[in-house]
Amino acid sequence: MDTMGELIRVGITGQGGFMGSHLYNYLGTKENDINRINFERSYFENEIALQEFVKSCDVIVHIAAMNRHEDEQVIYDTNVGLVQKLIAACETTNSTPKIIFSSSTQEERDNLYGKSKRDGRQLLENWASKTGAEVTSLLIPNVFGPFGKPNYNSFIATFCYKIINNETPTIINDSLVNLIYINELSEVFYNEIISEEKENIKSFVVPHTSSRKVSEILELLKEFKVQYVDHGQVPKVDLQSFELDLFNTFTSFIPKAYFPRKFTKHTDNRGAFVEIMRAGTAGQSSYSTTVPGITRGNHYHTRKVERFAVISGKASIKLRKIDSDEVIEYILDGTEPAYVDMPIWYTHNITNIGDTELITLFWINEPYNPEDADTYFVEV
């Protein structure tokens, strides 16, 4: 599609939801290819705004949908209605953006959510047949990842929330579940966005990347709680593994008030001893010195687990989720050594706010690789 070297203008309906916000943020790391067109939920209630939106896009990823409601008919009517509004806006403006439709492997199930996806896809394909536009439908398995809504997006989000809040999750059906991590799904969407294949109508099942029993996932999450929350130890999470993705999902539910965590300081007539890091996984340790008034960092990661430990001097550590204006600040003082772990998708920095040299120890779960740094620079 990007034949002239111009940026592809991409809009995402449902930009504020779980899948939509992750995709929006993921596309923000692809600024050489993608120009993100902002979408607001209110556009579906404002014909003019929706028409302006569709005219502005080369590609629309249609994710907006209702997943759960007490009345299944409301789910069906809402989801089909959103597709109808999107098509109407395209027809009114004679716009033919490529539409990538987020469907579900539940299409074939006997429920109104699955039927809403199946019928929505049919409407889009009929529109594509009439206009010559491109429509690609992705049939997506169960999706999990950070910042999901408990009791709505996935049972994993519900389990994480309950375990963090010392509640007991219940297993209704201990089945084998096919799963895909949200970063992996965002990559599938991205590859479809930049694809230059010209197919009028296409649909495919997005392959799942892991299969786990519900009870197996619950046991892993309970173990994360014991090791990480209760004892400050990073569990064994191999690089590019389901366990690492699950761990990053789990930690996103930890309240920000959990940090900073004070170290245990052992002092005798020789001086002091502090254990900085205990982990069941390999990683890279380093340290920095920072002169007063200087700030380091202002970047975020999408997969890395990282710990900042202040052992001497006084520091301000600031975090901001990249799609939020809220800044979280922690003040650490080396007289009481403490650490803060950096959540993924949060840009972060550290500033020496004292009048002496600041010494900070860093641990990260993978050695730095300049070819795949997973480091994106954004001011806090």
Side-chain angles (χ1 to χ4, degrees):
M1 175 166 287
D2 192 14
T3 51
M4 302 298 291
E6 295 177 357
L7 296 180
I8 305 170
R9 299 171 303 165
V10 182
I12 305 164
T13 71
Q15 179 184 310
F18 169 61
M19 281 169 49
S21 61
H22 271 282
L23 179 58
Y24 185 83
N25 292 339
Y26 180 90
L27 295 180
T29 71
K30 308 293 183 182
E31 53 190 15
N32 292 333
D33 299 321
I34 305 294
N35 174 21
R36 297 176 297 175
I37 304 299
N38 189 54
F39 178 85
E40 302 287 341
R41 191 174 182 174
S42 60
Y43 291 0
F44 276 121
E45 306 307 321
N46 181 332
E47 287 184 5
I48 301 300
L50 189 59
Q51 289 166 14
E52 288 301 315
F53 171 73
V54 301
K55 283 197 297 184
S56 304
C57 296
D58 301 311
V59 178
I60 294 172
V61 184
H62 180 50
I63 294 177
M66 179 181 283
N67 293 0
R68 295 174 194 266
H69 193 277
E70 290 174 1
D71 183 349
E72 277 201 16
Q73 190 64 46
V74 173
I75 296 175
Y76 179 86
D77 294 345
T78 299
N79 292 347
V80 172
L82 294 178
V83 171
Q84 290 168 331
K85 287 180 178 181
L86 187 61
I87 291 171
C90 290
E91 289 179 336
T92 301
T93 57
N94 292 315
S95 301
T96 53
K98 176 179 179 178
I99 294 182
I100 300 172
F101 180 50
S102 166
S103 191
S104 167
T105 50
Q106 290 193 45
E107 263 200 25
E108 297 310 314
R109 291 195 191 168
D110 187 24
N111 63 50
L112 283 171
Y113 172 73
K115 189 171 187 297
S116 76
K117 288 295 188 181
R118 190 167 66 243
D119 291 357
R121 173 155 72 101
Q122 191 62 58
L123 287 169
L124 285 167
E125 290 176 356
N126 292 346
W127 167 75
S129 296
K130 275 195 312 189
T131 61
E134 291 178 72
V135 167
T136 298
S137 299
L138 308 186
L139 281 70
I140 299 168
N142 290 280
V143 187
F144 75 101
F147 322 121
K149 198 189 294 184
N151 303 310
Y152 188 78
N153 288 125
S154 108
F155 73 94
I156 291 179
T158 306
F159 282 4
C160 290
Y161 177 82
K162 288 195 169 186
I163 289 169
I164 291 291
N165 287 283
N166 296 310
E167 298 176 26
T168 306
T170 53
I171 296 174
I172 296 166
N173 177 17
D174 191 16
S175 56
L176 188 70
V177 184
N178 293 333
L179 295 155
I180 186 168
Y181 183 54
I182 189 64
N183 288 19
E184 297 167 325
L185 178 60
S186 293
E187 187 176 8
V188 173
F189 276 121
Y190 170 68
N191 288 333
E192 198 53 44
I193 288 166
I194 64 171
S195 170
E196 295 186 8
E197 290 177 19
K198 293 287 183 189
E199 273 193 77
N200 187 217
I201 295 169
K202 182 170 76 169
S203 69
F204 63 91
V205 175
V206 176
H208 61 274
T209 52
S210 56
S211 293
R212 293 290 191 283
K213 287 194 75 173
V214 175
S215 56
E216 189 183 349
I217 292 169
L218 181 56
E219 286 309 308
L220 270 171
L221 293 171
K222 285 180 177 175
E223 190 61 28
F224 292 164
K225 165 74 161 59
V226 171
Q227 289 192 41
Y228 184 74
V229 178
D230 298 344
H231 297 119
Q233 175 176 328
V234 175
K236 186 178 188 307
V237 284
D238 295 332
L239 303 183
Q240 296 180 317
S241 67
F242 169 78
E243 287 75 16
L244 176 61
D245 296 338
L246 188 67
F247 178 70
N248 276 327
T249 300
F250 174 77
T251 57
S252 76
F253 288 86
I254 295 174
K256 294 298 172 278
Y258 173 79
F259 292 107
R261 307 300 292 173
K262 298 266 180 75
F263 288 113
T264 302
K265 189 175 183 179
H266 305 276
T267 308
D268 60 22
N269 56 1
R270 299 168 297 175
F273 170 81
V274 175
E275 179 183 311
I276 295 295
M277 187 73 208
R278 188 173 292 202
T281 191
Q284 181 183 50
S285 297
S286 55
Y287 82 93
S288 73
T289 62
T290 307
V291 298
I294 295 297
T295 298
R296 293 179 175 275
N298 284 317
H299 61 240
Y300 68 93
H301 310 297
T302 69
R303 66 171 187 262
K304 289 178 174 178
V305 182
E306 186 175 29
R307 175 165 295 183
F308 285 17
V310 171
I311 59 169
S312 179
K314 195 168 184 183
S316 161
I317 294 175
K318 290 182 179 176
L319 310 173
R320 180 180 63 81
K321 192 163 177 280
I322 62 164
D323 54 10
S324 168
D325 295 327
E326 182 190 4
V327 175
I328 296 146
E329 183 178 28
Y330 302 108
I331 304 297
L332 282 73
D333 193 320
T335 57
E336 294 185 277
Y339 70 89
V340 175
D341 289 349
M342 303 300 127
I344 58 173
W345 297 108
Y346 276 76
T347 184
H348 47 268
N349 65 26
I350 183 166
T351 303
N352 184 345
I353 57 171
D355 50 15
T356 60
E357 182 180 67
L358 172 67
I359 300 177
T360 312
L361 297 186
F362 304 96
W363 176 87
I364 202 159
N365 71 317
E366 59 179 87
Y368 182 75
N369 175 6
E371 300 299 313
D372 183 18
D374 187 41
T375 301
Y376 302 94
F377 291 91
V378 174
E379 290 282 326
V380 173

